[in-house]
Amino acid sequence: NAEFGAVPATLGSAGASAGGNATHALKEITLNAYKLATNEYTAYEEEEDSLLALMPIIRDGMIRRVARAVDKAFLLGAGSGADPVKGLANWASNTTATGNTVAAGMNVAKLRTLRQGLGAWGLDPAEVIYIINTDTYYQLLEDTTFQTMNQVGTQATLLTGQIGQIGGSPVLVSAEFASPGTGVAGAICLNPGNFLVGNQRGLRIDTQELVETQRRVMVASLRTGMTRVTSNLGNAVTAHKYTAT
């Protein structure tokens, strides 16, 4: 922090009034982009015998597979081996929160506790986002204090996946969480300003004809990654996890 200092008694004196010396250290952040890909083969006979155009259907299916894989990686990625992206649930730190685990009965009060665990990162509700699984969503519907979209206005529907607000913070639902189990996150609260997402290469779809086998192969791939920016004020993410039943 800057320092309060005394004003020099005499104009032009050598009194030190500029505060203590500080050195600004620049931080280097490494963001790795990992390749994600899927492929599908189509025999010529499949297209010839079909009344529908199969290529657009297959292409859309491949795009959905890639999108779901990215969502799951950013939420739950292990950050090692065949699961190289470290997801939000594994960045979560709940050192200042209470009631960090939940087996059932998720409600607005428990989600607010998650925001409390963000510390300084959670002071502005407009900068906080809740991401919940489908089980948590249905539990919230039983909480009369939960503000669903028909109560907070239609303007927020422009945000894909938003199903409500809690204290001015949007609530998103994702079906890409793992099935409920011990230690598995069911709800995440974060300030996205502390996370950096990079795409070294956007989604591309390549097609090649395999004349010898009379097939066509399509490959969809991209290179993406995510990392935390700083830990000075905490990791900016907390999570509710299931306990053993």
Side-chain angles (χ1 to χ4, degrees), residues 25-208:
L26 296 178
K27 180 181 179 181
E28 183 179 90
I29 299 175
T30 300
L31 174 59
N32 295 321
Y34 303 97
K35 184 177 180 179
L36 178 68
T38 182
N39 69 79
E40 190 158 340
Y41 289 87
T42 306
Y44 290 170
E45 288 77 11
E46 289 183 72
E47 295 185 74
E48 295 167 355
D49 297 340
S50 175
L51 295 177
L52 299 175
L54 295 181
M55 294 299 289
I57 298 174
I58 296 173
R59 185 183 297 109
D60 290 345
M62 297 175 71
I63 293 173
R64 287 195 300 271
R65 289 201 293 268
V66 172
R68 292 182 61 181
V70 170
D71 285 350
K72 187 174 182 179
F74 285 0
L75 288 172
L76 303 171
S80 61
D83 193 8
V85 178
K86 187 173 181 179
L88 294 170
N90 288 314
W91 281 115
S93 57
N94 297 60
T95 54
T96 59
T98 57
N100 300 330
T101 55
V102 58
M106 175 62 79
N107 54 37
V108 170
K110 292 179 181 179
L111 290 180
R112 284 176 174 164
T113 298
L114 285 185
R115 178 183 162 194
Q116 176 189 348
L118 295 180
W121 287 108
L123 294 178
D124 186 351
E127 297 179 354
V128 174
I129 294 177
Y130 297 96
I131 307 176
I132 61 176
N133 65 3
T134 53
D135 290 340
T136 299
Y137 167 62
Y138 289 117
Q139 292 170 18
L140 283 177
L141 293 181
E142 302 297 325
D143 189 340
T144 57
T145 61
F146 179 62
Q147 301 171 357
T148 53
M149 290 309 301
N150 63 324
Q151 295 172 310
V152 299
T154 58
Q155 71 278 5
T157 59
L158 296 176
L159 184 58
T160 303
Q162 183 173 345
I163 47 87
Q165 287 186 354
I166 294 178
S169 301
V171 180
L172 310 181
V173 61
S174 172
E176 303 311 318
F177 282 97
S179 300
T182 303
V184 175
I188 291 174
C189 180
L190 77 147
N191 186 320
N194 195 38
F195 292 90
L196 184 64
V197 174
N199 294 311
Q200 190 172 36
R201 174 170 58 78
L203 178 67
R204 61 177 292 175
I205 298 179
D206 300 298
T207 304
Q208 184 177 8

